[in-house]
């Protein structure tokens, strides 16, 4: 495992970092002070550094002024570290190249980069484990020679490793190994300020790696007005920029969350090719996350072999060390698998898979393997992983096809036509209104006429929130060709009646789709949950979507079961949308929990707060994340 991974500028500003285990500050400080500042490297070369028990490797993107660094324990043999550095370099410069060239690093929307890193790391780890398992599976001639000549071996102790001729050791005990690469230009932005050690963070705070004691803390200033942008970054504003309260509206009475349209990044031109594509029939189809990453990396290195580019075979053999003590070419028994599957269960539970779901998966694997004879030279880890992947894939793969665009078009051609009704439900705070707007934006790419029904008549600001989204989407429809309108009757009204009136309004005025937003409610509150049965009866939606968040963990089992049973004996949920997948890394067990407990598939995943941050679920991506 890599203990620490970071991307920072040649000026010392940390743009993004991933810390799995604490790393001594001196390890990273030695890279900055001993290598870059004191320039202990040969011109035009790439260097790896060893400090204490850690190895530091890095690569640079001189055109963008950034350095990508990985730190891991020297005892570990991470064969894919160079490819990971290259992949991160390609992804980071492709996603944020414009911002880096504009020299505005503090505005980078790097909150989503955790997902890109986790997916790529899991892919490379699986590939490396597969190659290693394949090498270990076939004995070499050296193995047989060693077996039959072991009695002739000398008792002399082997010589220790010699220091390579192209390495040097500094006075601090830092060993430097050299390999050719272009060195970063630290003078491009005027070098570092302050002491020799440490790296400044992206928002100007002192880094935990800072070792300088010469810096004088800045003098505290008075409280300033601060504006939070949609990418999560903050900036101080002056009094001349005006107030932050836009609720009074403009001269025409329009209210926007961001003030002027020119200040609203949600209304910027969206590159739709980055999150979907049109089919030959003209339908706009969303991409999944893994295909997006693969498309970015497609031009990373044209010299890669087909074996390294395709992980279908290699992904079957993972690095679960607790399987390696089981030999191949034998009939497996329950005793052989008990310890291994106990480790597998713990692994899944760390990924937010509920205990009962993890136990079910292990039982399925055990049932499929007990009594089965493994092949000669076939690692048992490959057999067990394949069985677990198959069990996960069966849970996550929908049993029926869900093609919303086809169903919407079918109702448009019906006689008489009627709107397709989609209702969004879920507990409080999971992002129902935000993800409803993402679905709306996707449907607008297909030139559909949408009506949003504001049926959350309880939460303060719920109607205003949808009004802002509708106004933003309406601005976008001027370019895309769709139409959108908000249907609302204020607060304190019965949500079921409003939904029924909205559907009638949509039918009379020729809307293609009615999207119904509902109030959030606790899944264990019987009084609030009971109203959903009346809502389903009055609105009778074509699809009921439950928004569940990836952060909820094992409680997702009960949430899914309670909501699925709340609409009456003859009605259930139709699919899940899992939000906030950009916040949990590879701990996406919630989607397995919800699907297992109800049999309802996951159709969409939310990956951010922009309208384009919606993807269809890639089952292979989810399985790789869970098994990584």
């Amino acid at each position: 495992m890599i203990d620490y991974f970071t991307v920072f500028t040649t000026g010392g500003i940390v743009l993004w970092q991933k810390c799995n285990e604490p790393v001594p500050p001196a390890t990273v400080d030695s890279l900055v002070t001993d290598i870059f500042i004191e320039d202990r490297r040969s011109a035009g070369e790439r260097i790896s550094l060893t400090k204490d028990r850690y190895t530091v490797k890095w690569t640079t993107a001189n055109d963008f002024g950034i350095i990508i660094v990985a730190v891991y324990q020297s005892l570990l043999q991470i064969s894919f570290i160079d490819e990971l550095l290259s992949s991160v370099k390609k992804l980071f410069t492709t996603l944020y190249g414009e911002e880096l060239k504009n020299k505005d690093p503090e505005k980078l929307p790097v909150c989503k980069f955790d997902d890109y890193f986790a997916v790529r790391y899991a892919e490379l780890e699986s590939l490396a484990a597969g190659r290693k398992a394949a090498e270990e599976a076939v004995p070499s001639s050296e193995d047989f020679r060693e077996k039959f000549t072991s009695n002739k071996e000398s008792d002399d102790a082997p010589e220790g490793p010699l220091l390579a001729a192209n390495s040097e050791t500094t006075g601090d005990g830092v060993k430097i190994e050299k390999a050719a690469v272009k060195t970063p230009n630290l003078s491009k932005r005027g070098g570092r300020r302050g002491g020799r050690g440490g790296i400044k963070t992206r928002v100007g705070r002192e880094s935990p790696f800072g070792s300088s004691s010469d810096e004088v803390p800045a003098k505290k200033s008075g409280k300033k007005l601060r504006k939070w942008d949609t990418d999560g970054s903050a900036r101080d504003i002056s009094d001349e920029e005006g107030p932050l309260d836009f609720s009074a509206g403009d001269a025409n009475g329009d209210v926007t969350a961001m003030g002027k349209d020119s200040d609203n990044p949600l209304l910027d031109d969206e590159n739709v090719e980055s999150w979907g594509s049109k089919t030959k029939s003209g339908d706009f189809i969303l991409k999944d996350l893994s295909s997006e990453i693969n498309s970015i990396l497609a031009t990373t290195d044209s010299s890669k072999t087909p074996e390294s580019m395709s992980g279908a075979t290699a992904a079957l053999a993972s690095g679960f060390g607790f399987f390696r003590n089981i030999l191949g070419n034998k009939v497996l028994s329950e005793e052989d698998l008990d310890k291994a599957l106990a480790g597998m269960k713990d692994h899944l539970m760390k990924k937010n898979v509920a205990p009962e779901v993890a136990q079910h998966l292990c039982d399925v694997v055990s049932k499929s393997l007990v009594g089965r004879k493994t092949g000669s030279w076939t690692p048992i880890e490959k057999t067990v992983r394949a069985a677990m992947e198959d069990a996960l894939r069966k849970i996550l793969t929908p049993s029926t096809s869900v093609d919303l665009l086809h169903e919407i078009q079918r109702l448009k051609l019906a006689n008489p036509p009627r709107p397709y009704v989609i209702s969004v439900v879920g507990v409080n705070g999971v992002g129902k209104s935000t993800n409803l707007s993402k679905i709306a934006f996707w449907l607008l790419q297909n030139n559909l006429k949408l009506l949003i029904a504001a049926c959350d008549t309880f939460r303060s600001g719920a109607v205003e929130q949808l009004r802002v989204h509708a106004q933003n989407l309406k601005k976008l429809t001027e370019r895309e060709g769709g139409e959108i309108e908000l249907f609302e009757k204020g607060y304190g009204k019965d949500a079921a009646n409003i939904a029924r009136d909205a559907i009638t309004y949509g039918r009379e005025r020729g809307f293609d789709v009615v999207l119904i937003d509902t109030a959030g409610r606790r899944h264990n509150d019987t009084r609030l949950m009971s109203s959903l049965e009346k809502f389903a009866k009055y609105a009778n939606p074509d699809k009921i979507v439950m928004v569940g968040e990836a952060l909820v963990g094992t409680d997702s089992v009960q949430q899914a079961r309670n909501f699925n049973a709340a609409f009456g004996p003859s009605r259930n949920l139709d699919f899940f949308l899992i939000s906030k997948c950009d916040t949990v890394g590879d701990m996406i067990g919630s989607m397995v929990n919800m699907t297992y407990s109800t049999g309802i598939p996951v159709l969409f995943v939310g990956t951010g707060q922009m309208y384009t941050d919606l993807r269809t679920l890639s089952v292979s991506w989810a399985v790789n994340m869970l098994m990584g």
Side-chain angles (χ1 to χ4, degrees):
M1 175 184 292
I2 295 177
D3 294 335
Y4 183 69
F5 204 102
T6 183
V7 180
F8 60 92
T9 68
T10 53
I13 299 177
V14 175
L15 303 177
W16 175 84
Q17 60 183 348
K18 180 74 172 178
C19 183
N20 294 318
E21 295 292 340
V23 174
T27 303
V28 179
D29 287 347
S30 61
L31 170 66
V32 177
T33 59
D34 298 336
I35 305 302
F36 291 125
I37 293 182
E38 295 191 6
D39 202 20
R40 291 185 183 178
R41 65 200 191 285
S42 301
E45 291 187 348
R46 173 178 173 175
I47 308 169
S48 65
L49 175 148
T50 301
K51 174 69 173 177
D52 298 331
R53 59 190 180 92
Y54 291 96
T55 296
V56 183
K57 282 198 171 185
W58 68 90
T59 185
T60 61
N62 292 309
D63 293 341
F64 299 92
I66 62 173
I67 304 170
I68 301 99
V69 178
V71 182
Y72 59 95
Q73 296 186 35
S74 299
L75 292 175
L76 300 178
Q77 299 295 326
I78 304 180
S79 59
F80 59 89
I81 187 67
D82 292 331
E83 189 173 0
L84 179 63
L85 286 167
S86 178
S87 296
V88 171
K89 174 182 175 180
K90 177 66 176 179
L91 285 169
F92 205 88
T93 54
T94 302
L95 293 170
Y96 311 119
E98 291 298 324
E99 291 85 351
L100 292 171
K101 287 184 176 180
N102 293 333
K103 298 185 178 181
D104 195 10
E106 297 187 3
K107 294 291 183 67
L108 291 181
V110 296
C111 56
K112 290 169 44 180
F113 196 74
D114 286 351
D115 278 348
Y116 293 104
F117 181 82
V119 171
R120 188 56 180 163
Y121 185 92
E123 290 177 351
L124 293 177
E125 188 176 42
S126 294
L127 288 170
R131 288 192 291 264
K132 184 175 181 180
E135 293 172 0
E136 293 176 350
V138 181
S140 64
S141 58
E142 296 294 333
D143 296 330
F144 288 107
R145 186 180 300 111
E146 180 180 357
K147 178 178 179 180
F148 292 108
T149 62
S150 59
N151 58 338
K152 299 181 180 180
E153 291 181 355
S154 173
D155 295 331
D156 296 337
E159 296 182 358
L162 299 177
L163 187 65
N166 63 338
S167 66
E168 60 177 311
T169 304
T170 68
D172 298 331
V174 178
K175 185 175 73 175
I176 305 172
E177 299 173 357
K178 302 178 182 180
V181 78
K182 189 176 179 181
T183 57
N185 181 8
L186 292 177
S187 61
K188 185 175 180 179
R189 302 195 182 190
R192 293 174 47 81
R193 298 181 180 179
R196 292 168 54 192
I199 303 175
K200 293 187 295 182
T201 62
R202 196 160 56 95
V203 294
R205 296 178 300 210
E206 186 179 354
S207 169
F209 302 114
S211 60
S212 173
S213 59
D214 299 332
E215 296 185 2
V216 179
K219 189 175 181 180
K220 291 185 177 180
S221 59
K223 187 174 181 180
K224 297 181 179 180
L225 295 174
R226 180 169 294 170
K227 182 175 181 180
W228 294 89
D229 295 328
T230 56
D231 60 0
S233 61
R235 64 181 179 88
D236 295 334
I237 66 171
S238 61
D239 296 336
E240 289 76 11
E241 291 189 65
L244 294 177
D245 183 8
F246 302 104
S247 60
D250 54 19
N252 298 324
D254 293 334
V255 181
T256 64
M258 305 296 296
K260 296 180 180 179
D261 291 342
S262 59
D263 297 331
N264 190 348
L266 295 176
L267 299 182
D268 293 341
D269 288 330
E270 297 288 351
N271 181 13
V272 295
E273 294 181 357
S274 66
W275 67 292
S277 59
K278 283 188 175 292
T279 63
K280 293 182 179 180
S281 60
D283 294 338
F284 188 85
I285 306 299
L286 295 175
K287 287 184 178 180
D288 58 57
L289 194 60
S290 60
S291 64
E292 181 179 353
I293 292 176
N294 290 333
S295 65
I296 294 175
L297 296 174
T299 58
T300 301
D301 187 1
S302 59
S303 63
K304 288 184 178 179
T305 62
E307 179 184 358
S308 65
M309 295 299 291
S310 62
T313 302
L316 294 176
S318 174
F320 288 109
F322 40 79
F323 293 131
R324 296 190 177 182
N325 60 339
I326 305 176
L327 300 176
N329 196 21
K330 66 169 295 186
V331 177
L332 296 176
S333 64
E334 291 185 7
E335 290 74 16
D336 294 328
L337 296 173
D338 281 345
K339 185 176 179 180
L341 291 179
M344 175 75 81
K345 180 179 178 181
D346 291 339
H347 171 80
L348 292 174
M349 289 171 61
K350 290 178 182 178
K351 298 297 182 75
N352 274 343
V353 177
E356 64 174 286
V357 183
Q359 184 60 52
H360 166 78
L361 289 166
C362 291
D363 291 343
V364 170
V365 172
S366 178
K367 185 177 179 180
S368 65
L369 294 182
V370 170
R372 175 177 171 181
K373 184 177 181 180
T374 60
S376 300
W377 312 117
T378 301
I380 188 61
E381 63 186 60
K382 179 177 179 179
T383 304
V384 176
R385 180 181 175 95
M388 180 57 72
E389 284 186 340
D390 186 59
L392 285 169
R393 194 174 291 108
K394 286 181 179 178
I395 290 179
L396 292 173
T397 302
S399 58
T400 58
S401 175
V402 181
D403 190 344
L404 292 181
L405 293 179
H406 176 75
E407 295 180 11
I408 293 171
Q409 295 296 338
R410 179 175 56 82
L411 288 185
K412 284 181 64 176
L413 300 176
N415 189 17
R418 70 169 180 85
Y420 192 85
V421 181
I422 301 175
S423 176
V424 179
V425 300
V427 299
N428 309 77
V430 295
K432 295 182 296 299
S433 301
T434 301
N435 284 284
L436 178 144
S437 301
K438 295 178 186 178
I439 295 175
F441 187 57
W442 165 56
L443 295 175
L444 288 172
Q445 307 304 312
N446 291 279
N447 299 327
L448 297 173
K449 187 175 180 181
L450 310 183
L451 178 66
I452 298 179
C455 294
D456 183 355
T457 62
F458 178 77
R459 176 173 63 90
S460 299
V463 177
E464 287 77 8
Q465 179 185 9
L466 283 179
R467 185 180 300 137
V468 170
H469 282 307
Q471 290 172 354
N472 289 339
L473 293 171
K474 189 174 183 178
K475 293 286 185 180
L476 294 171
T477 58
E478 295 175 356
R479 299 188 293 267
E480 303 299 336
E483 296 181 36
I484 190 167
E485 185 177 330
L486 176 67
F487 183 92
E488 54 100 355
K489 290 190 175 181
Y491 296 97
K493 308 295 194 305
D494 182 73
N497 289 326
I498 295 178
R500 183 173 57 183
D501 294 343
I503 295 171
T504 301
Y505 179 88
R507 183 186 300 110
E508 293 173 350
R509 287 161 177 77
F511 283 92
D512 301 320
V513 181
V514 176
L515 295 171
I516 303 176
D517 187 33
T518 62
R521 65 203 75 215
R522 298 191 307 274
H523 63 286
N524 55 0
D525 190 320
T526 306
R527 182 181 61 86
L528 293 176
M529 294 294 290
S530 62
S531 63
L532 289 177
E533 184 173 358
K534 176 185 176 183
F535 173 83
K537 181 179 178 181
Y538 277 46
N540 192 24
D542 296 282
K543 287 289 184 288
I544 301 178
V545 186
M546 178 180 173
V547 178
E549 61 180 1
L551 293 167
V552 71
T554 58
D555 194 42
S556 55
V557 172
Q558 202 58 44
Q559 286 186 10
R561 286 173 176 167
N562 288 6
F563 270 92
N564 193 45
F567 301 98
S570 59
R571 189 60 200 264
N572 300 106
L573 294 169
D574 292 289
F575 61 85
F576 294 110
L577 189 158
I578 307 300
S579 65
K580 307 178 186 178
C581 288
D582 55 315
T583 64
V584 294
D586 58 0
M587 296 188 294
I588 57 172
S590 295
M591 61 180 63
V592 181
N593 299 338
M594 301 178 94
T595 304
Y596 165 78
S597 59
T598 61
I600 307 299
V602 175
L603 186 59
F604 296 119
V605 292
T607 60
Q609 299 184 56
M610 305 296 286
Y611 293 135
T612 55
D613 292 330
L614 186 69
R615 300 291 185 273
T616 55
L617 174 66
S618 167
V619 175
S620 60
W621 164 79
V623 171
N624 286 335
M625 295 290 282
L626 290 167
M627 297 294 288

